[in-house]
């Protein structure tokens, strides 16, 4: 059992399954897209030498019958599949609930068939399906120790919190592939050169910037939308040119990833949120 829903650029939603106006005959393009493998042939050598590889864009083709009243239901389809405009496709089955953004390439209608139908082609430049659930993880070098109920029975000072530098946080990636993430760094005091570090891979992303109290740095390492921006007193500044040597756009590998955070000074004033969305090659 599955559901197939589309949403146009105005937020209007149409479910094509469980809809008396339409009968879905087939949906192609839900499996993994083809891989493009580039090789080089060397003279005098059998076979070829691998050069590079990437996944092709996803093409989703929907074939459906249009039920009575066919004219009204056909015209209603045009509202959601507007040629060259974006459409958000949602698909849910027993295992996955996902979405993807595509652009309507064509809507071909069989006007004069005994049973009117349509074939709709949507091209998705980013071929990965996105999980409907977004996961947020928090990282801090301060451990809160204050709990209720609360009573002081000792003469010595009571510990309300504790600074534990280099604390590690496990972040799960249930995807088929490595994925990017959104990293949001908050400063409650002076923080010099904040850094996020992947313990398993040894990779890091370090920003050469002196954060002030109230500053926020937002970093996106997601394919196709990478960015690094600082917000200070309402002013937005790009930090793309502020990466330390050796920094990479950190990716979460499939499975468990252990992350930690550092700074040249003031790491106790750092608070980090990491947001990620699992991605899949197919459903």
């Amino acid at each position: 059992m599955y559901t197939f829903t589309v949403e146009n650029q105005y937020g209007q939603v149409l479910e094509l399954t469980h809809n008396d106006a339409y009968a879905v005959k087939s949906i192609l393009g839900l499996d993994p897209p083809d891989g493009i493998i580039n090789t080089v042939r060397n003279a005098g050598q059998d076979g070829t030498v691998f050069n590079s590889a990437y996944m092709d864009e996803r093409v989703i083709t929907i074939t459906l019958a249009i039920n009575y009243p066919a004219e009204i239901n056909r015209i209603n389809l045009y509202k959601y599949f507007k040629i060259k405009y974006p459409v958000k496709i949602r698909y849910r089955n027993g295992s996955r609930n996902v979405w993807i953004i595509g652009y309507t390439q064509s809507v071909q209608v069989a006007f004069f068939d005994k049973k009117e139908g349509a074939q709709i082609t949507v091209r998705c430049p980013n071929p990965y399906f996105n999980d409907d659930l977004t996961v947020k993880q928090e990282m801090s070098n301060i451990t809160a120790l204050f709990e209720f109920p609360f009573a002081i029975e000792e003469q010595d000072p009571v510990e309300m919190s504790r600074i534990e530098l280099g604390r590690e946080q496990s972040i799960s990636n249930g995807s088929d592939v490595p994925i990017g993430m959104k990293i949001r760094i908050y400063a409650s005091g002076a923080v010099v050169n904040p850094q996020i570090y992947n313990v398993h891979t040894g990779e890091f992303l370090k920003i050469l910037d002196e954060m002030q109290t109230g500053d926020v740095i937002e970093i996106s390492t997601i394919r196709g939308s990478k960015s690094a921006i600082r917000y200070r007193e309402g002013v937005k500044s790009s930090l793309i040119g502020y990466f330390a040597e050796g920094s990479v756009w950190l990716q979460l590998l499939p499975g468990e990833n252990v992350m930690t955070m550092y700074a040249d000074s003031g790491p106790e004033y750092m608070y980090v949120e990491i947001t990620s969305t699992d991605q899949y090659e197919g459903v």
Side-chain angles (χ1 to χ4, degrees):
M1 199 66 176
Y2 72 95
T3 59
F4 190 88
T5 304
V6 297
E7 180 180 336
N8 64 19
Q9 70 268 37
Y10 306 115
Q12 298 169 315
V13 177
L14 174 68
E15 184 181 340
L16 292 176
T17 48
H18 314 103
N19 188 334
D20 292 338
Y22 312 100
V24 177
K25 293 183 176 181
S26 69
I27 304 172
L28 303 179
L30 300 177
D31 49 345
D34 292 340
I36 307 299
I37 312 298
N38 296 316
T39 59
V40 177
R41 188 176 300 278
N42 291 334
Q45 178 178 315
D46 294 337
T48 59
V49 177
F50 175 81
N51 188 353
S52 63
Y54 61 92
M55 184 183 294
D56 204 358
E57 65 179 8
R58 182 180 300 276
V59 179
I60 297 178
T61 304
I62 309 149
T63 303
L64 49 81
I66 304 174
N67 296 328
Y68 179 85
E71 185 171 303
I72 293 173
N73 293 334
R74 180 185 71 245
I75 292 173
N76 186 53
L77 273 179
Y78 299 155
K79 291 167 47 181
Y80 300 91
F81 296 101
K82 297 181 69 65
I83 301 301
K84 80 177 183 179
Y85 285 99
V87 58
K88 187 174 188 177
I89 293 175
R90 294 184 178 274
Y91 182 88
R92 175 187 289 182
N93 57 21
S95 302
R96 288 178 172 173
N97 183 10
V98 298
W99 59 270
I100 192 169
I101 300 293
Y103 295 82
T104 303
Q105 176 176 286
S106 65
V107 179
Q108 299 176 329
V109 179
F111 287 98
F112 303 108
D113 285 2
K114 186 174 181 180
K115 179 69 172 180
E116 188 170 313
Q119 186 175 81
I120 302 163
T121 302
V122 178
R123 305 184 75 93
C124 307
N126 185 339
Y128 295 104
F129 284 107
N130 302 279
D131 198 288
D132 196 53
L133 178 65
T134 296
V135 178
K136 180 185 290 186
Q137 295 275 11
E138 300 176 352
M139 298 172 60
S140 174
N141 284 317
I142 297 179
T143 301
L145 302 175
F146 183 80
E147 297 180 354
F148 285 100
F150 176 71
I152 298 178
E153 299 179 355
E154 303 176 1
Q155 297 299 319
D156 294 332
V158 176
E159 196 175 17
M160 306 295 286
S161 63
R162 181 181 303 138
I163 297 175
E164 299 179 10
L165 299 181
R167 289 180 62 190
E168 297 179 349
Q169 176 70 50
S170 178
I171 300 177
S172 178
N173 173 15
S175 307
D176 300 329
V177 294
I179 58 172
M181 58 193 137
K182 292 184 178 180
I183 303 169
R184 193 174 173 91
I185 305 173
Y186 300 85
S188 60
V191 178
V192 178
N193 303 337
Q195 174 182 333
I196 308 298
Y197 179 78
N198 188 319
V199 176
H200 284 171
T201 66
E203 296 177 330
F204 66 91
L205 197 165
K206 184 175 184 179
I207 302 291
L208 301 178
D209 184 57
E210 296 185 11
M211 300 182 70
Q212 302 175 4
T213 301
D215 281 3
V216 177
I217 292 178
E218 290 185 349
I219 303 168
S220 172
T221 69
I222 299 172
R223 287 181 295 265
S225 59
K226 294 176 180 177
S227 63
I229 299 171
R230 182 189 63 210
Y231 296 89
R232 173 177 294 167
E233 297 180 349
V235 178
K236 179 178 174 181
S237 305
S238 173
L239 296 179
I240 291 293
Y242 289 70
F243 286 14
E245 183 178 357
S247 293
V248 300
W249 296 101
L250 292 174
Q251 301 287 296
L252 296 175
L253 302 180
E256 294 298 318
N257 296 259
V258 178
M259 312 290 287
T260 190
M261 59 185 187
Y262 297 103
D264 289 351
S265 68
E268 65 272 22
Y269 301 121
M270 288 177 62
Y271 171 78
V272 176
E273 289 180 350
I274 295 179
T275 305
S276 62
T277 301
D278 290 349
Q279 294 186 324
Y280 311 106
E281 294 181 346
V283 297

